[in-house]
């Protein structure tokens, strides 16, 4: 019984604490118009960019760069001249497996693949022309 008592005392203290928290005056919220509009597409591109930075940038030029750190790795901005971006999702789903021994063979989650491909499409040199 002692144990039960001390537990309920603790619970009461916690409740008090929680109540004192909520009785603070609310913090003014920024008007919704000030929020930047982030579309689902932007989020996917951002996800892909983060993956490219960590997993690909050691060999491939990412972003608008056209010179890759690895001499044989195609710059991502020129990738549509090397591969069909439309079939790239399929390729990534099966696990990239080029003949080149330098190119690691990954297995990505579908959402990461979608992000990567969205990102790659967004950085194609000819994409906005
Ligand atoms: C260790 C170096 C290295 C890393 C890291 C790397 N690549 Fe590559 N990648 C290469 C090389 C080298 C080639 C050229 C392969 C060839 O010509 O067979 C290549 C080719 C490619 C191609 C074209 C494949 C084809 O069929 O021609 C794609 C797409 C690609 N990489 C995507 C990626 C993505 C996405 C990442 C990150 C998730 C990545 N690579 C990370 C070295 C790398």
């Amino acid at each position: 019984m002692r144990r039960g008592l001390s537990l309920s005392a603790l619970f009461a203290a916690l409740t008090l604490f929680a109540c004192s928290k909520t009785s603070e005056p609310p913090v003014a919220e920024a008007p919704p118009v000030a929020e930047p509009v982030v579309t689902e597409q932007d989020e996917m591109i951002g996800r892909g960019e983060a993956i490219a930075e960590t997993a690909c940038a050691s060999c491939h030029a990412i972003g608008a760069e056209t010179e890759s750190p690895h001499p044989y790795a195609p710059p991502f901005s020129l990738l549509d001249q090397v591969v069909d971006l439309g079939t790239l999702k399929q390729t990534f789903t099966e696990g990239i497996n080029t003949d080149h021994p330098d190119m690691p063979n990954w297995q990505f989650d579908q959402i990461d693949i979608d992000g990567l491909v969205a990102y790659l499409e967004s950085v194609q040199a000819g994409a906005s022309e």
Side-chain angles (χ1 to χ4, degrees), residues 14 40 68 80 84-85 102 114 120 127:
L14 278 175
E40 214 172 298
S68 292
D80 62 355
D84 179 1
L85 289 181
D102 287 351
D114 291 348
L120 291 173

Side-chain angles (χ1 to χ4, degrees), residues 53-101:
E53 271 168 10
T54 54
C56 323
S58 58
C59 296
H60 291 270
I62 66 168
E65 295 292 310
T66 51
E67 259 183 64
S68 292
H70 189 300
Y72 299 126
F76 280 174
S77 62
L78 304 176
L79 208 55
D80 62 355
Q81 297 172 17
V82 186
V83 290
D84 179 1
L85 289 181
T87 60
L88 211 52
K89 266 187 201 178
Q90 185 67 27
T91 310
F92 286 159
T93 306
E94 289 161 1
I96 316 171
N97 196 2
T98 63
D99 294 334
H100 206 287

